[in-house]
Amino acid sequence: MTEVRATTVLDPVSKAIVEQLQQDGRRSYAAIGKVVGLSEAAVRQRVQRLVEAGVMQIVAVTDPMELGFARQAMVGVKVTGPVPPIADKIADLPEVDYVVMTAGSFDVLVELVAESDERLLDIVSSGIRAIDGVLATETFMYLGLRKQTYSWGVR
């Protein structure tokens, strides 16, 4: 059974609010309201609806290596059988922060953070590889962060 994700249709005002928050996630609702032509309360309501619909999250973007995590890695996963249930099981692992199903050499790409090399090995070996249907993994350890941005605008 394939899950079809409903697409939220955004009007120009909601898109403008998203763009304002992409530029600065701490921008006040009052300041956003002045730019988009709404009251502070109306912006607050729209932001809440956008968050509840899964269109956006408002979070602090960090560099895990600067926060005490010794390892950040991308793991390519090859699977047998249906991909979505395996991707869902991987997504349930607490150290995993990003899971995407792909076309190409890997069926799933997984980003994770770990406190040590030993913990990274444990996550991959006892976590990801232990899931039924996982055929193989390849781990790409991050050595340095050069760019991380989430301000690609809206269409």
Side-chain angles (χ1 to χ4, degrees), residues 94-149:
E95 295 86 355
V96 168
D97 58 53
Y98 180 80
V99 177
V100 63
M101 295 178 286
T102 64
S105 300
F106 298 103
D107 300 299
V108 180
L109 290 176
V110 179
E111 186 179 68
L112 58 88
V113 293
E115 294 86 1
S116 64
D117 289 338
E118 293 78 18
R119 184 65 188 132
L120 175 61
L121 177 61
D122 186 50
I123 297 162
V124 174
S125 296
S126 301
I128 297 172
R129 289 184 185 158
I131 296 170
D132 286 337
V134 171
L135 289 177
T137 63
E138 185 172 349
T139 302
F140 304 90
M141 292 199 311
Y142 296 2
L143 300 176
L145 178 63
R146 288 294 179 260
K147 183 177 183 179
Q148 183 176 22
T149 181

Side-chain angles (χ1 to χ4, degrees), residues 8-27 29 32 35-36 38 43 46-51 53-58 150-155:
T8 302
V9 178
L10 302 180
D11 67 7
V13 174
S14 290
K15 288 179 180 181
I17 291 170
V18 170
E19 285 181 324
Q20 288 291 304
L21 289 168
Q22 283 179 328
Q23 292 169 14
D24 181 357
R26 297 179 303 159
R27 189 165 286 157
Y29 295 143
I32 294 169
V35 172
V36 302
L38 293 177
V43 171
R46 283 199 187 223
V47 168
Q48 185 62 36
R49 284 196 307 262
L50 291 166
V51 169
V55 171
M56 68 178 185
Q57 297 177 32
I58 300 174
Y150 298 96
S151 56
W152 46 75
V154 296
R155 304 290 175 267

